[in-house]
Amino acid sequence: MVLAEDVHKSFGRLRVLNGITLRVEAGQVMCLLGPSGSGKSTFLRCINHLEKIDAGRLSVDGRLVGYAQSGQRLRELGEKEVARQRRDVGMVFQRFNLFPHMTALENVIEAPVRVRGRDRRTARTDGVRLLERVGLADKRDCYPAQLSGGQQQRVAIARALAMEPKLMLFDEPTSALDPELVGEVLDVMRQLARDGMTMVVVTHEIGFAREVGDLAVFMDGGVVVESGDPQRVLVHPEHERTRAFLAKVL
């Protein structure tokens, strides 16, 4: 589902990704861990072409992200073509980014109606079902300001699912939440994993990564330091840098 081959990304003189090579199979959950500034979120944004890579190749479901192969050369896609690619990739950010003037249900159905051209009545039916899926059927007529942080993040997940993505990206989805609200968001993500959704998750929730992840990746300095089965990487890491990081967060 995701294939990164020697991916590089810099912002000016700052090299953020220094040759990332990773593979995520359909139905797998990959958890990206590492200190702030290690390149995790940048890599996630590159998967959705919110950031353009400088070198290497990155593909989702067998298609190059943001580019098309033309002989031996790569042609950058136009904005409309990139937007069509993004329809298949859902993304949930640290901040919920809900439209404050729309109810929970209106937030969920906006993209299917405007982007995919869905009939509004059908979209409402699907939206209610998605809110039920994340445990918020009774909050469909509430505005974001009337919801807790955990509830807003669950609406954001439902909104991403409304586009029927093949892949879900989560960029530290619980980092902005009060500790007592973290569990309700992780429960939704656990259920998505059980349902077979392919997910790439940037997280500091070590317990979640160990329980749900099929692949744990520890990054530092823009490189993959260690990757593999979460039980090995997170319980018996081979690299001293991984051990030092885990000692601080556990």
Side-chain angles (χ1 to χ4, degrees):
M1 184 60 72
V2 180
L3 180 61
E5 303 171 276
D6 197 27
V7 170
H8 291 255
K9 175 65 182 177
S10 297
F11 295 101
R13 294 184 178 181
L14 178 62
R15 297 177 64 183
V16 181
L17 301 177
N18 296 298
I20 300 296
T21 296
L22 290 170
R23 183 185 189 100
V24 184
E25 301 294 343
Q28 284 190 326
V29 178
M30 181 173 75
C31 294
L32 294 173
L33 304 103
S36 297
S38 60
K40 309 181 303 297
S41 294
T42 296
F43 177 64
L44 207 69
R45 291 172 65 84
C46 287
I47 294 175
N48 214 8
H49 205 60
L50 294 173
E51 300 289 352
K52 300 177 184 178
I53 64 176
D54 298 325
R57 296 167 70 91
L58 188 54
S59 60
V60 171
D61 198 25
R63 296 182 59 193
L64 286 172
V65 174
Y67 297 89
Q69 188 83 39
S70 181
Q72 297 298 313
R73 305 182 65 182
L74 293 180
R75 174 183 64 85
E76 187 172 356
L77 300 179
E79 276 302 314
K80 288 186 177 180
E81 293 173 295
V82 171
R84 280 196 292 271
Q85 282 191 337
R86 287 195 186 118
R87 294 178 186 180
D88 292 330
V89 182
M91 189 158 184
V92 178
F93 299 89
Q94 296 179 31
R95 297 293 174 178
F96 326 120
N97 299 324
L98 299 178
F99 296 115
H101 62 289
M102 294 183 178
T103 65
L105 181 58
E106 289 168 342
N107 266 280
V108 170
I109 71 174
E110 181 72 5
V113 171
R114 289 188 177 271
V115 178
R116 289 200 181 272
R118 294 267 174 82
D119 170 74
R120 185 167 288 274
R121 180 177 297 179
T122 302
R124 283 184 63 88
T125 300
D126 292 342
V128 170
R129 176 179 53 80
L130 285 169
L131 287 173
E132 289 176 351
R133 187 175 179 183
V134 299
L136 292 174
D138 60 330
K139 302 293 185 181
R140 65 184 187 183
D141 295 322
C142 293
Y143 290 90
Q146 299 171 304
L147 301 174
S148 71
Q151 290 170 336
Q152 290 185 61
Q153 192 64 294
R154 284 188 280 158
V155 173
I157 293 172
R159 179 179 61 181
L161 292 173
M163 292 295 285
E164 299 179 353
K166 299 175 181 177
L167 169 69
M168 285 284 286
L169 308 176
F170 292 87
D171 189 4
E172 298 193 38
T174 61
S175 65
L177 301 178
D178 292 333
E180 66 267 24
L181 302 178
V182 168
E184 62 191 55
V185 174
L186 294 181
D187 284 344
V188 172
M189 295 170 65
R190 288 186 183 95
Q191 187 58 55
L192 288 178
R194 287 193 288 267
D195 292 343
M197 175 63 72
T198 310
M199 299 158 59
V200 180
V201 184
V202 173
T203 183
H204 290 299
E205 300 292 339
I206 305 301
F208 172 83
R210 193 167 57 234
E211 173 193 351
V212 178
D214 298 292
L215 180 66
V217 177
F218 175 69
M219 292 178 59
D220 191 25
V223 300
V224 174
V225 176
E226 190 166 358
S227 65
D229 180 87
Q231 292 297 325
R232 183 190 64 76
V233 173
L234 302 176
V235 179
H236 302 291
E238 296 177 355
H239 292 263
E240 177 58 37
R241 182 66 189 92
T242 313
R243 289 194 289 270
F245 173 78
L246 291 173
K248 291 181 180 179
V249 299
L250 288 176

